[in-house]
Amino acid sequence: MGLALHTTRHDGRATIAARGSIDLHSSEELRERLTELVDAGEREVVVDLTAVDFCDSSGLNVLVRAYKHARAQNATLMVTGAYGRVENVLRTTGLDRFLMAGATGGGEGSEGRA
């Protein structure tokens, strides 16, 4: 299964609902969409992973780079809806501390800066 992306905007927040797998073959599409939103001036971007069943290292790389790009543009990027294997990989790598909604700002320290 590939990756489908659907973007909605509501109350100053752009949400990308992803469905499928984020891997080497599909991560570029997600990267492009996230970059476009931030570059277009969106100040709050949410990536909804509720319908994502797999995310490999290329997907994690896209999320981290998009997070850093958003911060450089004085915007925020967060992930919601991660569960199962996707949630596990975010927690195992420590990325949940600054990517997942409800994070307490773990990205404010040195790990959040490139």
Side-chain angles (χ1 to χ4, degrees):
M1 177 180 200
L3 180 67
L5 302 174
H6 179 72
T7 305
T8 57
R9 290 173 178 83
H10 183 69
D11 291 336
R13 172 185 291 174
T15 301
I16 299 175
R19 175 179 299 280
S21 298
I22 304 173
D23 57 24
L24 180 63
H25 303 289
S26 63
S27 61
E28 182 64 17
E29 181 181 359
L30 178 60
R31 184 199 63 77
E32 289 173 359
R33 181 79 56 95
L34 291 169
T35 301
E36 287 170 5
L37 288 171
V38 172
D39 288 350
E42 295 292 344
R43 293 291 148 240
E44 188 174 347
V45 178
V46 176
V47 183
D48 182 354
L49 300 180
T50 302
V52 172
D53 57 4
F54 178 79
C55 182
D56 70 7
S57 61
S58 61
L60 295 177
N61 186 14
V62 165
L63 293 172
V64 170
R65 287 177 179 256
Y67 171 84
K68 290 180 178 183
H69 179 64
R71 285 191 50 142
Q73 302 297 321
N74 294 316
T76 62
L77 181 136
M78 69 183 104
V79 170
T80 63
Y83 72 96
R85 292 187 296 179
V86 176
E87 180 183 25
N88 187 48
V89 74
L90 289 170
R91 292 196 188 285
T92 300
T93 58
L95 296 177
D96 63 310
R97 294 182 306 210
F98 59 97
L99 283 179
M100 291 179 71
T104 58
E108 297 298 319
S110 61
E111 72 271 12
R113 298 284 180 193

